Amino acid sequence: MILELKNINKTFDQDVQSITALDDISIQVRRNEFLCILGPSGCGKSTLLHLIAALDNPSSGEIIFNEHYIPGPCACRGLVFQEDALYPWKTVWQNIAFGLEIQKIPSLQRELIIREHINLVGLPGFEHFYPHQLSGGMKQRVQIARTLALDPQILLMDEPFAALDEITRSRMDEELLSIWNRKKKTVIFVTHSIEEAVILGDRILIMDASPGRIIHEIINPLQRPRNPDDYDFINLKREIKTHLGVCQTQSIEGVLNNV
Amino acid sequence: MNKHHKKRSISDRINPKHLSLFQTMGTLIILLTIWLLTAIFVKGIRGISFPMPWEVAGRLWTLIKGQLIYNRSLHAHLLSSLWRWGLGYSLAVVLGLIAGLTLGICHKLRQSILPIITLIQMIPGLAWIPIALLLFGIGNTATIFMIFIMGFAPIVLNTAVGIQAIPPVQIKAAQIMGANKRTLFFRVLFPSALGSILTGLRIGMAGAWRVLIAAEMIVGMGVGLGYMIIQSRWSLDYESAFIAMGIILFLGLIIEKTLFGMLEARLPYASHQRNKIGVL
Ligand SMILES: Nc1ncnc2c1ncn2[C@@H]1O[C@H](COP(=O)(O)OP(=O)(O)OP(=O)(O)O)[C@@H](O)[C@H]1O
Ligand SMILES: [Mg+2]
């Protein structure tokens, strides 16, 4: 077990009322697991990732990482933010270099790592561009490169591909899976896309809002590589939709049985 | 005819180097026209002779050749103004940056001190004269104090606000990458505030320059461009007043273009903020 969340609550105290962003969340994440979190807007997905990254403290509950309480933020728990988190005064290259410099990686090695990760996210040729010269999706890819370059044990991703077109997105999904396979990482991946969750996740947690809580857990039975056109794939999507309350219709089997 | 042929605007068809030359010339021509029209207008309506550009140019020539004005040469007036401004403004920059950065990172201090700085900034330059005189008596120190205070307030404000304005996610990202407080300050907070700091330095520069002239008019020491203006008003030597004003404008322009132009060139990422929107 690389990560354990025990009865996490998080409330934000506002002037007028207090918001329960997370209500009694307990999650156990195995080493090398690919965990997807699906849920409507405002159900506390970002809040959850920020707590795991130790950018904020839970109101109550415990977070245990590698058998230890977490003292504070750490490059070993890398977070790809939902919003643009690049430094506008740094080029693509400098943005990726920053974390490596902080970690005191020697410059030769640093250069290799940066080059490798720029290639990985498909941005060679853009090394000396500033963020304002990049598209939204390109910025997000730089952020991913910057996080991966620090070789975190656990990778927290907050809707990283939401700004990408479908083609780039499925390419990035594949890239991510191959990194995950190669480097044996643990990934917690927040997404709005049911299809993406089914393609990527070993396990899918479904959350709901007010208060933010986990309403269902699905162990993904599909073999990798997964094909979105498969019968089982479509069925699983349908099941998830039902849990999310998007689609109340019967499963495909039900439809077929009725014919 | 190609339907998709896009009509290029006039300004697109000109080589950018030539364009900036044209723009400068345009500015000069507009200024001269306004000057001439004003002169004609004043003469026609009020019957008073208004210094013409060529008269001012002639007077400038005699002064450059070394003729004294109010017991000093033109360049003595000029140097004395520059020296006062340089001293007062340097003090404002150093202390203003220190104060602004401190207020920027210290929330508690900021809440109690920033309102005071805002108040100071609202006081018009000339209103400082009685305070300056009470504090330092007539003399250079009073003038330099006024220059300092006019430069100081905007530098502090813009620096502190610039540091506050950083999106929290940029701090969080640095924390995850392992940044300690020092790294956070020097490599994240400070660079993110640079644009705003530059604005503060600019506003401070202009304020200091304006109050310099005013201070020299009143608490002057018998030398300086401001002194030159106020004296020429008494002796009806309006050409000299125009020359002093011209020099003031010219110097301000040079400082703005060289000093701040250089600083800005080092912030290429901020260049996209420069507005190039226009119809023609
Ligand atoms: N700093 C904060 N102060 C007060 N309330 C907050 C804060 N951060 C989040 N919240 C509240 O917590 C709840 C969950 O927010 P969160 O950003 O985690 O949602 P989310 O699931 O990530 O949504 P989305 O899918 O739109 O990104 C929201 O109701 C939000 O208003
Ligand atoms: Mg979110």
Side-chain angles (χ1 to χ4, degrees):
Chain A
M1 218 54 75
I2 187 169
L3 181 76
E4 240 183 307
L5 277 68
K6 293 184 185 164
N7 309 99
I8 296 290
N9 286 285
K10 179 69 185 175
T11 49
F12 290 105
D13 292 318
Q14 308 292 69
D15 297 335
V16 269
Q17 90 225 62
S18 71
I19 296 172
T20 306
L22 294 174
D23 182 35
D24 195 23
I25 303 277
S26 295
I27 305 175
Q28 297 190 329
V29 187
R30 280 180 292 110
R31 203 170 289 278
N32 300 340
E33 181 172 8
F34 202 123
L35 177 67
C36 283
I37 299 179
L38 260 176
S41 187
C43 70
K45 306 181 295 295
S46 298
T47 308
L48 186 64
L49 290 193
H50 283 228
L51 289 180
I52 296 172
L55 291 170
D56 202 355
N57 295 317
S59 308
S60 69
E62 290 171 349
I63 299 176
I64 294 160
F65 177 67
N66 285 335
E67 270 88 60
H68 295 289
Y69 293 109
I70 48 175
C74 165
C76 54
R77 274 168 285 124
L79 171 58
V80 176
F81 290 88
Q82 186 173 10
E83 59 265 60
D84 176 15
L86 298 180
Y87 298 110
W89 62 90
K90 288 185 193 291
T91 60
V92 169
W93 182 278
Q94 292 165 338
N95 262 290
I96 301 175
F98 186 46
L100 297 165
E101 285 162 18
I102 294 176
Q103 299 291 329
K104 305 214 163 54
I105 311 280
S107 73
L108 266 179
Q109 198 184 343
R110 195 162 69 213
E111 225 160 272
L112 286 178
I113 297 176
I114 300 172
R115 171 90 26 235
E116 177 196 340
H117 285 89
I118 286 182
N119 289 337
L120 183 72
V121 295
L123 288 174
F126 291 94
E127 290 85 354
H128 304 297
F129 279 52
Y130 285 94
H132 75 265
Q133 296 164 317
L134 302 176
S135 76
M138 289 159 91
K139 282 190 239 187
Q140 207 60 14
R141 282 186 272 160
V142 178
Q143 223 202 125
I144 292 169
R146 183 173 80 176
T147 310
L148 282 174
L150 293 181
D151 198 23
Q153 292 180 41
I154 186 164
L155 187 57
L156 310 167
M157 304 185 88
D158 199 349
E159 302 181 33
F161 306 142
L164 300 183
D165 63 283
E166 225 174 299
I167 299 162
T168 318
R169 179 183 196 144
S170 57
R171 224 203 75 218
M172 292 300 298
D173 284 345
E174 274 170 32
E175 281 296 345
L176 182 60
L177 282 178
S178 92
I179 293 166
W180 171 68
N181 264 325
R182 260 198 337 262
K183 300 208 169 171
K184 294 287 163 238
K185 294 205 179 303
T186 311
V187 181
I188 302 184
F189 189 100
V190 164
T191 176
H192 274 154
S193 158
I194 298 171
E195 178 155 324
E196 195 173 37
V198 176
I199 285 194
L200 295 177
D202 290 327
R203 189 155 56 115
I204 301 165
L205 297 179
I206 299 173
M207 293 182 68
D208 203 358
S210 351
R213 64 199 187 281
I214 296 171
I215 52 168
H216 201 76
E217 176 184 46
I218 291 174
I219 313 282
N220 193 333
L222 302 179
Q223 293 295 316
R224 296 176 194 273
R226 295 169 181 158
N227 181 353
D229 299 324
D230 276 358
Y231 175 85
D232 291 336
F233 193 105
I234 296 170
N235 237 343
L236 189 54
K237 267 168 65 175
R238 195 169 288 265
E239 185 189 338
I240 294 172
K241 277 188 190 165
T242 318
H243 287 297
L244 281 166
V246 188
C247 163
Q248 307 292 352
T249 52
Q250 299 158 288
S251 70
I252 285 194
E253 280 126 273
V255 177
L256 290 179
N257 287 343
N258 285 343
V259 171
Chain B
M1 279 294 285
N2 182 357
K3 259 190 193 168
H4 301 286
H5 175 76
K6 247 199 189 158
K7 217 177 142 186
R8 289 201 299 162
S9 72
I10 300 170
S11 53
D12 282 345
R13 264 173 275 160
I14 305 172
N15 177 331
K17 269 186 200 157
H18 296 167
L19 182 66
S20 85
L21 196 70
F22 279 133
Q23 284 171 332
T24 317
M25 270 166 49
T27 313
L28 280 178
I29 289 172
I30 292 171
L31 280 179
L32 273 176
T33 314
I34 293 177
W35 187 348
L36 278 174
L37 285 178
T38 315
I40 294 166
F41 189 75
V42 167
K43 193 143 201 175
I45 303 235
R46 303 195 55 212
I48 307 170
S49 82
F50 192 93
M52 286 296 186
W54 47 88
E55 294 167 346
V56 173
R59 182 96 175 91
L60 176 63
W61 183 237
T62 62
L63 288 180
I64 287 177
K65 278 199 301 189
Q67 196 189 69
L68 294 189
I69 176 163
Y70 315 117
N71 303 323
R72 303 294 177 108
S73 67
L74 182 63
H75 82 261
H77 287 294
L78 176 64
L79 283 181
S80 121
S81 284
L82 266 183
W83 174 79
R84 288 179 188 131
W85 175 80
L87 196 61
Y89 184 61
S90 307
L91 269 176
V93 170
V94 173
L95 297 180
L97 282 181
I98 293 173
L101 292 173
T102 313
L103 292 185
I105 55 177
C106 184
H107 178 68
K108 281 174 190 141
L109 265 182
R110 181 166 66 233
Q111 287 207 318
S112 49
I113 294 185
L114 218 54
I116 305 178
I117 308 282
T118 313
L119 278 182
I120 290 180
Q121 202 197 19
M122 284 196 289
I123 300 174
L126 288 178
W128 285 103
I129 286 179
I131 299 169
L133 288 180
L134 279 173
L135 282 175
F136 302 105
I138 285 191
N140 267 329
T141 322
T143 319
I144 290 166
F145 168 77
M146 286 173 64
I147 296 162
F148 162 76
I149 203 89
M150 288 304 282
F152 179 72
I155 294 175
V156 176
L157 273 182
N158 282 280
T159 305
V161 168
I163 288 203
Q164 272 175 273
I166 184 172
V169 67
Q170 292 183 9
I171 297 177
K172 291 178 184 169
Q175 285 173 335
I176 290 184
M177 291 189 270
N180 55 21
K181 288 203 164 145
R182 222 182 91 103
T183 313
L184 205 57
F185 178 76
F186 285 106
R187 305 207 46 197
V188 179
L189 290 175
F190 184 68
S192 92
L194 266 182
S196 181
I197 290 176
L198 201 62
T199 306
L201 292 178
R202 249 197 180 122
I203 299 175
M205 192 276 290
W209 196 233
R210 278 196 308 266
V211 83
L212 160 78
I213 303 308
E216 282 180 343
M217 285 179 174
I218 296 162
V219 279
M221 297 282 295
V223 60
L225 294 171
Y227 177 75
M228 209 173 124
I229 293 182
I230 202 73
Q231 285 301 311
S232 61
R233 185 233 175 284
W234 302 123
S235 54
L236 299 182
D237 177 11
Y238 286 112
E239 283 88 4
S240 302
F242 271 55
I243 288 169
M245 278 169 59
I247 293 176
I248 289 163
L249 288 180
F250 186 67
L251 282 178
L253 203 69
I254 290 196
I255 294 167
E256 163 77 27
K257 287 281 174 203
T258 54
L259 197 65
F260 290 108
M262 259 161 46
L263 284 174
E264 206 156 61
R266 305 208 53 174
L267 305 179
Y269 57 87
S271 64
H272 70 289
Q273 291 161 356
R274 264 178 237 147
N275 198 342
K276 280 190 182 159
I277 297 168
V279 186
L280 264 180

